[in-house]
């Protein structure tokens, strides 16, 4: 028997129209580095999105299904592209401007992007790549910055100015009726552990994911909030915030290219966001900044941290500043919201703590299971560790296979029954809280036992003289692999390896303690600010680290 309900497609267009109409006066504030930021209402941004769609269709000839790339910071124009491109039936392809040039070239060609909207400040990165980007027919330049690099560019692509392109065009658009399952946006994985792979989000997956982001068991923001979106719009759709904001009228504060700790602290003090989202390294940097130069962060009631494991010591430090950190887990393949660590009801602050340091619980739209080494499903007993697999309406079922190609389902990423293999190893408690112990590729396999690199890192980073620490597996004749601890000390710190090892011994089993130690000036980071352990492993193999054995 069929239902009697209407079947309205869940599309990005609906989110755009809703935000423009119902939350017309909510604001997007973009930091400019000038005394005054740029301010724009949702209605204005929506109208500009309509103008952009007209320009893309009429002037650039962008058609249904065409990929339009963005190479941009977080700003109002990027948000306009976020809505214009999918709503007109084309596919938004956000490019990570921190990727190595050869990866960017590979990704643009693989996606066969026809046009790219680029911030002028990023032109020095784009222009040298243009000879290798034959599919790009149009370059749309936006925002402040020198455009002279384009003058001698080796490309047949036409160059447009964003503001000139949209000027004078109609402020409304007769948006097409789209199939909710059609492609709306795509994003390649950042390749922390391998080659980039294209994930293609549907209108439906974005719509449902946005609703989840807005639920109080997730980020739970309303039009009374302002969110500081530090997580880049090219990093898994800024964790869904751009779409979520238009759904509930959340005011948006965009940092543009001012992502250093000092301007971030200044924008928080001046613009008073109530929420912010970013990876742990951003929060580490901001903490060091406000410790040295105190600022008023009191407006920021809560912060979403994800992308890599948040060291508990960092959470505690923000607790002391009155900023509540909520830990979240996700991936490019999961849109990204997979879990969030709100403690269950009715607990004291002390009782909440063990829940807050986990990766959290699955929302109703995400199912999880743990798979052991023999492919067996493991119980949720808080002890049995296995690879996490997930499924749900905003979880990828395949990777983009290129124009005309079939979707790709590598056996190491998708189970035969269609679940996504996350590559993350962890346990789930009987009450459903996920604790990730490591990435499968980072876990240290010592004499048949597993050592969690994340656990060692968290324990090290709890030492008051340690700024950062990354632990990687290195080959060992006797045990197969053993941990190497690479440590960044705080300025002026003098603590020795022996003391650190003793300190670790307070929380970590003796057989897991690293015997190899090296001081490094900074932990190498990936394009989205995660610890880049590939680089440390290579540095060790090439003898570039000054290693002491204890
Ligand atoms: P990449 O795999 O290239 O880093 P993603 O941004 O998709 O690209 O990263 C997803 C991965 O990041 C997850 O599989 C997991 O290993 C890690 N991750 C994300 N959030 C967390 C978290 N809260 N705790 C631990 N690891 C996390």
């Amino acid at each position: 028997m069929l239902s009697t309900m209407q079947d309205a497609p869940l599309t990005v267009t609906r989110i755009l129209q809703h935000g423009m109409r119902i939350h017309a006066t909510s604001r997007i504030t973009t930091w400019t580095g000038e005394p005054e930021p740029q301010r724009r209402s949702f209605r204005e941004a929506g109208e500009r999105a309509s103008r952009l769609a007209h320009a893309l269709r009429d002037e650039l000839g962008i058609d249904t299904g065409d990929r339009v790339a963005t190479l941009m910071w977080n700003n109002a124009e990027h948000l306009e592209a976020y809505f214009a491109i999918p709503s007109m039936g084309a596919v938004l392809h956000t490019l990570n401007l921190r990727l190595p040039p050869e990866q960017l070239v590979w990704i643009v060609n693989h996606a066969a992007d026809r046009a790219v909207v680029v911030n002028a400040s990023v032109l020095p990165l784009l222009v040298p790549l243009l000879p290798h980007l034959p599919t790009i027919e149009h370059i749309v330049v936006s925002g402040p910055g020198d455009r002279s690099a384009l003058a001698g560019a080796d490309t047949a692509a036409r160059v447009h100015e964003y503001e000139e392109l949209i000027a004078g065009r109609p402020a409304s658009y007769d948006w097409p009726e789209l199939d909710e399952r059609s492609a709306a946006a795509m994003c390649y994985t950042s390749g922390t552990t391998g080659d980039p792979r294209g994930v293609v989000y549907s209108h439906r997956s974005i719509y449902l994911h946005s609703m989840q982001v807005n639920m109080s068991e997730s980020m739970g923001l309303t039009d009374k909030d302002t969110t500081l979106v530090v997580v880049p719009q090219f990093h898994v759709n800024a964790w869904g915030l751009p779409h979520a904001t238009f759904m509930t009228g959340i005011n948006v504060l965009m940092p543009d290219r001012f992502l250093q700790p000092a301007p971030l602290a200044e924008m928080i003090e001046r613009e008073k966001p109530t929420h912010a989202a970013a990876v742990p390294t951003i929060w580490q940097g901001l903490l060091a900044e406000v410790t040295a130069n105190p600022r008023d962060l009191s407006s920021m009631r809560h912060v979403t941290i994800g992308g890599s494991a948040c060291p508990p010591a960092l959470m505690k430090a923000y607790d002391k500043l009155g900023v509540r950190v909520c830990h979240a887990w996700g991936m490019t393949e999961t849109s990204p919201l997979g879990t969030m660590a709100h403690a269950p009801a009715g607990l004291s602050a002390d009782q909440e703590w063990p829940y807050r340091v986990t990766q959290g619980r699955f929302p109703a739209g995400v199912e999880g299971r743990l798979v052991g080494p023999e492919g067996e499903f493991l119980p949720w007993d808080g002890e049995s560790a296995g690879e996490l697999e997930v499924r749900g309406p905003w979880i990828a079922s395949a990777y983009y296979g290129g124009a005309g190609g079939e979707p790709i389902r590598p056996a190491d990423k998708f189970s035969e029954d269609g679940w996504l293999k996350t590559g993350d190893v962890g346990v789930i408690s009987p009450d459903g809280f996920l604790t990730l112990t490591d990435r499968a590729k980072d876990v240290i396999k010592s004499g048949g036992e597993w050592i969690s690199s994340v656990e060692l890192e968290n324990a090290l980073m709890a030492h008051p003289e340690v700024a950062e620490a990354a632990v990687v597996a290195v080959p060992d004749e006797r045990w197969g692999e053993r941990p190497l601890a690479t440590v960044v000390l705080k300025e002026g710190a003098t603590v020795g390896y022996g003391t650190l090892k003793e300190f670790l011994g307070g929380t970590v089993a003796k057989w897991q303690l690293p015997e190899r130690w090296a001081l490094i000036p900074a932990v190498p980071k990936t394009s989205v600010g995660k610890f880049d352990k590939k680089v440390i492993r290579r540095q060790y193999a090439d003898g570039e680290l000054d290693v002491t054995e204890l």
Side-chain angles (χ1 to χ4, degrees), residues 189-192 235-236 306-309 327-333 359 422 424 436 439 530:
T189 61
S190 61
T192 302
H235 186 197
V236 210
S308 47
H327 197 197
W329 166 85
M331 310 169 67
T332 307
E333 292 88 332
Q359 270 70 17
T422 65
D424 290 320
L436 292 183
R439 289 194 188 226
K530 304 185 187 195

Side-chain angles (χ1 to χ4, degrees), residues 138-208:
H138 300 274
I139 302 164
V140 183
V141 188
S142 159
D146 184 9
R147 278 123 166 103
S148 58
L150 273 168
D154 180 4
T155 174
R158 275 175 61 202
V159 177
H160 314 262
E161 269 296 328
Y162 187 96
E163 294 302 328
E164 287 168 20
L165 191 65
I166 69 169
R169 296 186 192 271
S172 64
Y173 191 101
D174 190 11
W175 302 110
E177 277 285 324
L178 298 170
D179 183 336
E180 63 176 16
R181 290 159 304 178
S182 62
M186 66 192 303
C187 183
Y188 282 71
T189 61
S190 61
T192 302
T193 56
D195 278 339
R197 284 165 163 161
V199 175
V200 184
Y201 308 102
S202 65
H203 283 266
R204 174 186 158 83
S205 71
I206 289 177
Y207 194 100
L208 293 172

Side-chain angles (χ1 to χ4, degrees), residues 75-264:
N75 50 45
E77 291 75 27
H78 203 171
L79 205 69
E80 290 157 14
Y82 252 63
F83 285 108
I85 296 165
S87 300
M88 66 187 287
V91 183
L92 168 80
H93 178 197
T94 51
L95 294 173
N96 179 342
L97 49 76
R98 296 219 178 77
L99 283 185
E102 59 283 1
Q103 266 191 39
L104 266 181
V105 166
W106 188 90
I107 287 173
V108 172
N109 288 328
H110 190 259
D113 298 322
R114 284 193 61 199
V116 56
V117 188
V118 57
N119 278 136
S121 53
V122 193
L123 281 174
L125 165 68
L126 176 68
V127 169
L129 310 185
L130 287 172
H132 312 290
L133 305 177
T135 64
I136 296 282
E137 298 163 44
H138 300 274
I139 302 164
V140 183
V141 188
S142 159
D146 184 9
R147 278 123 166 103
S148 58
L150 273 168
D154 180 4
T155 174
R158 275 175 61 202
V159 177
H160 314 262
E161 269 296 328
Y162 187 96
E163 294 302 328
E164 287 168 20
L165 191 65
I166 69 169
R169 296 186 192 271
S172 64
Y173 191 101
D174 190 11
W175 302 110
E177 277 285 324
L178 298 170
D179 183 336
E180 63 176 16
R181 290 159 304 178
S182 62
M186 66 192 303
C187 183
Y188 282 71
T189 61
S190 61
T192 302
T193 56
D195 278 339
R197 284 165 163 161
V199 175
V200 184
Y201 308 102
S202 65
H203 283 266
R204 174 186 158 83
S205 71
I206 289 177
Y207 194 100
L208 293 172
H209 180 261
S210 308
M211 291 186 74
Q212 182 60 50
V213 168
N214 281 325
M215 283 181 73
S216 45
E217 60 163 0
S218 298
M219 297 189 210
L221 305 175
T222 71
D223 58 355
K224 296 177 187 66
D225 286 291
T226 298
T227 179
L228 168 59
V229 187
V230 186
V231 53
Q233 285 180 260
F234 56 73
H235 186 197
V236 210
N237 297 325
W239 299 352
L241 280 166
H243 302 111
T245 55
F246 263 59
M247 253 186 185
T248 46
I250 307 156
N251 299 283
V252 189
L253 176 58
M254 292 297 205
D256 199 77
R257 59 200 182 282
F258 304 98
L259 293 167
Q260 308 72 23
L264 284 179

Side-chain angles (χ1 to χ4, degrees), residues 193 387 422-425 437-445 450:
T193 56
E387 181 177 1
T422 65
D424 290 320
V425 176
T437 44
D438 229 327
R439 289 194 188 226
K441 287 181 182 164
D442 289 338
V443 100
I444 302 147
K445 300 182 184 86
W450 284 8

